[in-house]
Amino acid sequence: MIMDQNDGICIQNVYWEKREGVSAQKLTKKDMHNHGGEIYGHSYKLDYSVNVNPMGTPSSVVEAAAKGAALSAQYPDVACSELRRDLAAFLSVREEQIVFGNGAADVIFSAILARKPKKVLVPAPTFAEYEQAAKVVDAQMVYYYLKEEQEFGIDEGILDALTPDVDMAFLCNPNNPTGQLVTRESLIRILDHCMKNHIFLVVDECFNEFLEEPKRYTLIDQLDRYPNLLILKAFTKTYAMAGLRLGYGLCSNREFMDRMAECNQPWAVSIPAQYAGVAALKETEFVARSMKLLHEERKFLKSELKKLGFKVFDSQANYIFFKAAPDLKAECGKRGILIRDCSNYIGLAPGYFRVSVKLHAENLELLRTLEEIVNG
């Protein structure tokens, strides 16, 4: 079902969603900005509500950020010259195809301001920042609802929703919070359809590195072929740099990139973040070890959560999406464990949750806590 103009509206910063067979959701601005990581002012033992590398931030990255902090009296390099050069070589792209931001969310807002779309399509559920950014330019939202009976996967039925009056669309691959993948072949067909209909497509690959075969799903090699494509990436998840805020976009459309630059502040990336990014790109062995551990623990957690009676979806990212009793977050919180309640995602009702994949000892503690809750 595709919503018409009156199905998704914003009145006094309260968001309403209407969908056949689903209770109306009332999402306040506070709800929309709830992404997990609610650690400030709270006591807790384990935070499973955020999904970054379970091995933490590499020591070399911390040291580089500290060196950058020592230079805080000076302004950052607006062009991010060293970081741009190293990242272009790392990804095998041209330097002019990169735009940096204060995290991937900053790049999303810059893209929206550069395009100024009148109508934006997003899957539901998906990452909330796409819609939040679209609201800045008063864009009309169109939701492509994902179905539980299809594991909340994005299929090519979305092509019917990508009509010529849609100016911009967002796809997260793997999707957040479900962890479901769109095949590269399907993405190419969607891209072709979007180019034919003059739709600018943003593909969020921030969790691509956590896949077992990341190169099989990335669209980086398609940049020159599709000027209507922007790929979102970030250092946040892979290198556990959420607090440093370093994201970037990749695009071959020079005119669009220039508009994005005009919409962004000159010093979007701090010196510590630039130094940290340069150091992070050298941590190939750390990333390889992290991914091996994560793939093993993801498989383990999925299996154990199923044994506890939860409905577990087949996430391919560094988090697991599952269905349980609506009060599970509160019960976990009483025991010092934070999990992500996904009920504030458009298209999801209470009872859906996301947990990150952590180290084995931590995962065992999570499972013991869940078993205690389940067994009363």
Side-chain angles (χ1 to χ4, degrees), residues 252-321:
S252 65
N253 188 322
R254 186 70 259 165
E255 181 183 354
F256 181 74
M257 294 289 271
D258 288 343
R259 288 202 302 272
M260 283 187 68
E262 291 171 359
C263 293
N264 205 355
Q265 58 150 319
W267 303 286
V269 183
S270 69
I271 298 176
Q274 291 187 37
Y275 275 41
V278 170
L281 293 174
K282 298 179 175 69
E283 288 287 349
T284 53
E285 183 182 344
F286 167 84
V287 172
R289 285 187 288 112
S290 299
M291 296 309 121
K292 184 177 184 297
L293 178 146
L294 184 132
H295 298 157
E296 293 171 352
E297 289 301 312
R298 181 173 61 204
K299 182 178 179 181
F300 169 72
L301 261 183
K302 283 181 186 177
S303 175
E304 295 302 310
L305 287 170
K306 288 177 183 177
K307 289 178 183 177
L308 289 172
F310 300 127
K311 180 171 183 178
V312 180
F313 299 89
D314 192 23
S315 171
Q316 300 301 308
N318 62 327
Y319 47 84
I320 298 171
F321 181 62

Side-chain angles (χ1 to χ4, degrees), residues 31-322:
D31 292 329
M32 296 291 278
H33 284 289
N34 175 15
H35 298 291
E38 302 166 30
I39 61 173
Y40 301 102
H42 301 277
S43 60
Y44 68 100
K45 292 188 297 183
L46 290 172
D47 184 4
Y48 271 82
S49 68
V50 294
N51 37 24
V52 298
N53 191 322
M55 291 183 65
T57 314
S59 59
S60 66
V61 172
V62 175
E63 291 166 7
K67 289 180 182 178
L71 301 174
S72 293
Q74 64 191 52
Y75 283 98
D77 174 7
V78 172
C80 300
S81 304
E82 184 179 6
L83 177 60
R84 182 181 301 276
R85 182 198 66 214
D86 289 0
L87 182 60
F90 183 81
L91 297 173
S92 299
V93 300
R94 297 190 299 279
E95 290 185 25
E96 63 268 21
Q97 293 180 320
I98 306 171
V99 58
F100 289 103
N102 187 242
D106 189 33
V107 181
I108 293 168
F109 277 79
S110 296
I112 285 285
L113 290 170
R115 179 74 175 177
K116 292 185 174 61
K118 291 183 172 56
K119 183 179 285 191
V120 174
L121 181 141
V122 296
T126 198
F127 189 48
E129 250 70 13
Y130 312 143
E131 178 169 355
Q132 290 177 22
K135 295 293 183 183
V136 172
V137 296
D138 295 321
Q140 177 189 338
M141 299 305 302
V142 179
Y143 305 101
Y144 181 71
Y145 284 103
L146 309 179
K147 301 174 183 178
E148 181 172 336
E149 56 268 27
Q150 296 177 352
E151 295 279 308
F152 292 103
I154 299 173
D155 56 30
E156 290 187 35
I158 198 171
L159 295 176
D160 294 331
L162 289 165
T163 52
D165 59 335
V166 172
D167 302 298
M168 200 169 192
F170 287 83
L171 292 179
C172 188
N173 199 38
N175 194 24
N176 181 3
T178 64
Q180 298 294 332
L181 277 167
V182 184
T183 67
R184 178 183 168 90
E185 294 73 23
S186 291
L187 282 171
I188 295 296
R189 282 190 282 273
I190 292 169
L191 262 172
D192 284 332
H193 178 86
C194 285
M195 191 155 71
K196 179 181 177 181
N197 288 280
H198 307 289
I199 300 169
F200 201 91
L201 181 65
V202 181
V203 178
D204 188 337
E205 293 189 2
C206 285
F207 296 99
N208 173 268
E209 281 74 18
F210 296 103
L211 302 176
E212 293 196 15
E213 298 180 87
K215 290 183 179 179
R216 183 179 171 187
Y217 292 92
T218 184
L219 293 176
I220 289 177
D221 63 338
Q222 299 295 310
L223 286 171
D224 288 328
R225 183 180 171 189
Y226 294 99
N228 64 322
L229 170 66
L230 172 69
I231 298 173
L232 293 174
K233 304 279 282 184
F235 288 75
T236 306
K237 314 298 182 181
T238 308
Y239 305 101
M241 288 170 53
L244 281 165
R245 311 305 306 141
L246 180 58
Y248 58 97
L250 303 170
C251 183
S252 65
N253 188 322
R254 186 70 259 165
E255 181 183 354
F256 181 74
M257 294 289 271
D258 288 343
R259 288 202 302 272
M260 283 187 68
E262 291 171 359
C263 293
N264 205 355
Q265 58 150 319
W267 303 286
V269 183
S270 69
I271 298 176
Q274 291 187 37
Y275 275 41
V278 170
L281 293 174
K282 298 179 175 69
E283 288 287 349
T284 53
E285 183 182 344
F286 167 84
V287 172
R289 285 187 288 112
S290 299
M291 296 309 121
K292 184 177 184 297
L293 178 146
L294 184 132
H295 298 157
E296 293 171 352
E297 289 301 312
R298 181 173 61 204
K299 182 178 179 181
F300 169 72
L301 261 183
K302 283 181 186 177
S303 175
E304 295 302 310
L305 287 170
K306 288 177 183 177
K307 289 178 183 177
L308 289 172
F310 300 127
K311 180 171 183 178
V312 180
F313 299 89
D314 192 23
S315 171
Q316 300 301 308
N318 62 327
Y319 47 84
I320 298 171
F321 181 62
F322 65 101

